[in-house]
Amino acid sequence: IDPTSAASLPQERDALLLAIASKSSDEAIAQAIQNLIPFNPIKSSSPSEYSSALDGEWKLLWYNKSDFSPLLKLPSPLRPDSYQYFGKIAEREVGEGRVAQGLVGGVVALSGGSKKELWLSSGAVASKDDPSVLEIYPPFRFQLGETPGSSSPKSTIVESESDADFRAANARTVEAQQAPKNEYEQVYLENYGSGSLRVSVITKGDPVIVGDMFVHQKV
């Protein structure tokens, strides 16, 4: 983040990063997030502004539910790092109109080397009613590949053409399989380039993950 932008950032942002770095309780971190949200720097309803801010690679710093990913429950050093990809990098890696999550390092590296990455991708479209919300669509693809920029093709482990099929593959209940598509809201989003913070929440869809909250930082 450039010095001019950094000078205008709220102290609540530093408080959140400190809480995460010091491994504070989930309750303390959630409160720090609530304190930061009113300072969300994106105030407009412009889809292009949200698209520009999201574009890039984001590293997961914190999340609030253990059901989000079984591999992220593992202790260090087995626990992999988690990344999200939007915009141009996602288009290059998983196709146009799609977003992706990647897991790298930890147990993933033990099974295939430091460049191996597990990829989960889906379609994603900004809501017509609120561009801060991404509506998640099939097809869902779970693939084994390498870190971004590799010329090696990804190997597809599971591909599902519907929410219900994908949730069934993840051993979800019938109720969860019948739930509506997932929606993913950006409740705090910076557009300062590398180092920017983003806070997002799953607000609708699979009941197992609705309410999951994430803090990411742009690489």
Side-chain angles (χ1 to χ4, degrees):
I1 297 177
D2 65 83
T4 302
S5 299
S8 64
L9 294 172
Q11 64 181 13
E12 287 79 4
R13 182 185 194 274
D14 289 338
L16 171 59
L17 289 174
L18 179 60
I20 293 172
S22 61
K23 301 187 187 312
S24 296
S25 68
D26 284 352
E27 292 78 8
I29 294 173
Q31 184 58 59
I33 289 171
Q34 293 305 317
N35 294 341
L36 178 63
I37 287 173
F39 298 93
N40 186 6
I42 294 188
K43 304 296 185 183
S44 78
S45 57
S46 166
S48 62
E49 186 171 359
Y50 278 95
S51 177
S52 172
L54 283 172
D55 186 90
E57 177 180 357
W58 297 79
K59 184 177 182 180
L60 180 67
L61 301 184
W62 176 86
Y63 70 103
N64 71 333
K65 283 193 178 181
S66 60
D67 290 327
F68 167 59
S69 172
L71 291 182
L72 295 181
K73 296 180 183 180
L74 295 173
S76 180
L78 296 178
R79 183 174 60 250
D81 290 324
S82 177
Y83 294 85
Q84 281 187 334
Y85 306 97
F86 297 90
K88 294 183 288 293
I89 188 171
E91 183 174 343
R92 290 195 301 268
E93 295 294 334
V94 295
E96 185 177 0
R98 296 179 67 76
V99 298
Q101 176 201 356
L103 296 176
V104 64
V107 70
V108 178
L110 290 177
S111 62
S114 62
K115 290 187 176 181
K116 285 296 181 184
E117 185 158 359
L118 285 171
W119 292 80
L120 175 60
S121 65
S122 66
V125 177
S127 168
K128 294 179 181 178
D129 299 324
D130 183 352
S132 72
V133 175
L134 288 177
E135 298 176 348
I136 306 301
Y137 289 91
F140 301 95
R141 295 192 191 105
F142 184 50
Q143 298 175 296
L144 178 63
E146 295 190 345
T147 51
S150 171
S151 59
S152 298
K154 296 175 178 62
S155 174
T156 299
I157 301 168
V158 175
E159 179 163 352
S160 300
E161 296 295 331
S162 71
D163 290 274
D165 287 348
F166 183 69
R167 292 169 187 169
N170 283 275
R172 298 291 198 256
T173 65
V174 172
E175 178 188 6
Q177 293 172 38
Q178 295 173 346
K181 63 181 177 295
N182 292 342
E183 294 189 358
Y184 186 64
E185 182 180 3
Q186 321 307 308
V187 296
Y188 180 89
L189 178 60
E190 297 175 350
N191 192 14
Y192 304 131
S194 177
S196 293
L197 284 187
R198 176 169 59 93
V199 180
S200 52
V201 182
I202 298 175
T203 56
K204 188 176 180 180
D206 182 349
V208 174
I209 59 174
V210 166
D212 281 13
M213 179 177 286
F214 312 90
V215 179
H216 285 85
Q217 188 162 39
K218 184 172 280 190
V219 176

